[in-house]
Amino acid sequence: MEKLISKNLVSTNREEKGKKVFIKTFGCQMNVNDSERIKGILKTLGYEFTENWREADLILLNTCTVREKPDRKVLAYIGEYRKVKGINPNTKIGVCGCLAQRMGEELDKRAGGVIDIMFSSYNIHHLPELIQKAEKGEKAIEILSEPPKNEWEMFEYPTVRENPYWSFITIMKGCDKDCTYCIVPQTRGRERSRPIRSIINEIKELVKEGVKEIHLLGQNVTAWGKDFETPIPFSYLLYKIAEIEGVERIRFTTGYPTDLTDDVIKAMGEIPQIADALHLPFQSGSNRILKLMHRYYTKEEYLEKIEKLKEVKPNIALSADVIVGFPGETEEDFLETLDLIEKVRFEQLFSFKYSPRPGTPASEYSDQVPDDVKTERMHRLLELQKRIMNQEAKKYIGRVVYPLFERYEGGKLVGRSSENKWVEVESDRKDLLGKIVPVKVERAGVYVLRGRLMV
Ligand code: 5AD
Ligand code: SF4
């Protein structure tokens, strides 16, 4: 690993020493993990990190384009950050991630030509060369249309993580589903699973560094292993990871309902380290809309999965994504969505108004739902969800939960429980940082549980 780093990174390092970089990340956890990798590369190059873009020598935006709103946000931020050129004309502006991938040089034109560096999520490891090119005053734009074969090599570079006790691990990239609303297959490419040895090695390294909880990431993690010459089931990977000494908790996001097969559910029941939480997007409760979305399951099948999950993990905290106002969605269809929400009683729900994405089939459907209808439905959905969350939170009172304490702030230990709830305890026991500790819950809000230590 050292050899790879020195060969590709350190050799370009000299002139960057003492320089400052400001990084702004939009979008999903895949982007957060990519930014951790970018930070690792920049740190190796000698960059320091700053929270103040005005003093940066390099401003980097890792972008998202899943809906129109993130698109607009990214453009607004570029508009703001370009002012840096008036403060320090040598500052470079770099843009990567999904919007860069989707728009390429067009994005630079829209931004008034202020972008110096642009790259794909496929070629993060080319950043040193791209910076060098930009330093010479040239535009350094390298958007690849496809991922290179050696894509996983960049996973051998060091990362800079926010927290020492838990870590994301990207296990697959891209998506082979064809959801008619979704831009991701265009921006992240076809499904590629990371080789098992590479995953296990990274986890072993992380455990050595003190990581207790790992969070497996992928657009569609439950499909991991399907694209290997000899396919390997995702459940096998879960058992293998659980065997690594020191792995105390395992999470994975995001799953696709039909790929959450019986063997995965069985593994979730059998492996004690797997968290009592699962994010399983359903997108709509109407079978008619699910079909139009090209989601290959029905409401009934989704509910059946949830039942099976609850059999093996009775306390599982469920979360999901849902889209409101997909083209053609009628009031009846929407009521089916509300019904599904009532039945499952999610502890967290991420709801989005349908947003047409360029080049996706649904954006061309003729029966687009007017925005005021989407907004009105969204209000009703949020009201329902608020009521459910308030009711569900109460069940935690008197229960013992097991947070992994990751921060000490203002006289409090703060950590996330197995159910993915923030837990706060008034205590000065800093020795408990990085440990999974029983806490008796005394007060329960929707997002935060407060209680006392049981140790
Ligand atoms: N409009 C609205 N929401 C979308 N999502 C994906 N594409 C769109 C779109 N075009 C939502 C889905 C997905 C989440 C990450 O974003 O719910 O699960
Ligand atoms: Fe946004 Fe999707 Fe790209 Fe994540 S994969 S950054 S959600 S467009």
Side-chain angles (χ1 to χ4, degrees), residues 66-67 181-183 281 283 321-323 350 352-357:
V66 73
R67 288 170 295 275
Y181 52 80
C182 190
I183 193 88
Q283 312 298 5
D321 295 342
V322 55
I323 295 176
F350 300 89
F352 308 103
K353 285 203 275 185
Y354 170 72
S355 165
R357 302 284 62 212

